[in-house]
Amino acid sequence: MAILDILAELVVIGVFLGAFYGLIALGLSLVFGVQNVINLAHGEFLMIGAYITFFGWSIFDLNPLLSIVISVPIMFVVGAAIQGGLLERIDLDNELTTLIFTFGLALAIRGLAQYAINVDYQSISFLTESVDVGFTAFSLNRPFAFGIAVISTLLFFAFLKYTGWGKRFERRPRTPRSPVRVVSGRSACGW
């Protein structure tokens, strides 16, 4: 019976983590689909956002949800600066160039993080209470993250389906030189 308990717990935790990883993959596919850039530094940008949230909690004693709300616009500005300052300057028609650039960017970000920040495992004590449901036991932060991931994904697809901007993203021609111009003022949104 213990094997079935462990299997049930692994399945539940796998579903929770799968939704979170699916949300991350949605962001990666959005960058590739809209900008035609294969961003190999996507995980490193996620790491920077996670560290901003962690330091907001550990240094400034902010609620982790408030830290996330703060880290999202910060990472938007960082992404826009890298898009406008670096990616716009390389040949986006050549996929190998973007692969090499984003791979180098990923290595640089990872190296700077290892140099500047302790590389030990870090976590936030948020909703760590354990809950027993049937054969499984898990902390409350897992279903909370699952709910956030599912709601975010549904909101994103509703944005694509029901807003003018989202419909323009779906109808945008897939040519190599038609990425969204975040900084220069032109965009696939039509403004």
Side-chain angles (χ1 to χ4, degrees):
M1 194 58 138
I3 292 176
L4 290 177
D5 293 346
I6 292 172
L7 182 63
E9 190 168 330
L10 288 176
V11 167
V12 169
I13 290 173
V15 169
F16 289 159
L17 284 176
F20 180 69
Y21 291 145
L23 183 62
I24 294 169
L26 180 66
L28 184 63
S29 64
L30 177 68
V31 170
F32 178 68
V34 172
Q35 294 183 307
N36 203 24
V37 172
I38 302 171
N39 185 4
L40 296 179
H42 187 76
E44 281 70 17
F45 288 119
L46 181 68
M47 173 194 66
I48 293 171
Y51 269 117
I52 291 171
T53 301
F54 174 75
F55 289 133
W57 172 78
S58 66
I59 295 173
F60 300 109
D61 200 31
L62 293 175
N63 183 303
L65 296 178
L66 180 61
S67 291
I68 290 172
V69 170
I70 292 170
S71 70
V72 168
I74 291 171
M75 290 309 299
F76 176 81
V77 170
V78 168
I82 288 174
Q83 169 70 27
L86 300 174
L87 278 174
E88 294 283 327
R89 299 179 191 277
I90 64 173
D91 182 16
L92 293 176
D93 292 333
N94 186 351
E95 287 181 359
L96 184 60
T97 305
T98 59
L99 280 172
I100 292 171
F101 174 78
T102 58
F103 181 68
L105 185 62
L107 290 177
I109 292 171
R110 189 177 306 150
L112 286 171
Q114 288 176 343
Y115 176 74
I117 304 169
N118 187 357
V119 294
D120 293 336
Y121 179 76
Q122 306 287 338
S123 67
I124 293 177
S125 298
F126 181 69
L127 295 176
T128 57
E129 298 84 21
S130 181
V131 176
D132 293 325
V133 177
F135 296 110
T136 65
F138 47 83
S139 60
L140 281 176
N141 57 15
R142 294 189 187 269
F144 183 78
F146 174 81
I148 294 293
V150 169
I151 290 169
S152 298
T153 303
L154 292 174
L155 286 174
F156 173 73
F157 282 111
F159 168 79
L160 285 180
K161 185 170 177 97
Y162 298 113
T163 66
W165 284 10
K167 290 176 183 176
R168 286 187 200 109
F169 281 131
E170 287 183 329
R171 288 192 309 254
R172 190 180 64 77
R174 302 286 190 230
T175 61
R177 291 306 292 175
S178 62
V180 172
R181 306 285 183 198
V182 175
V183 176
S184 65
R186 285 182 31 209
S187 77
C189 299
W191 47 273

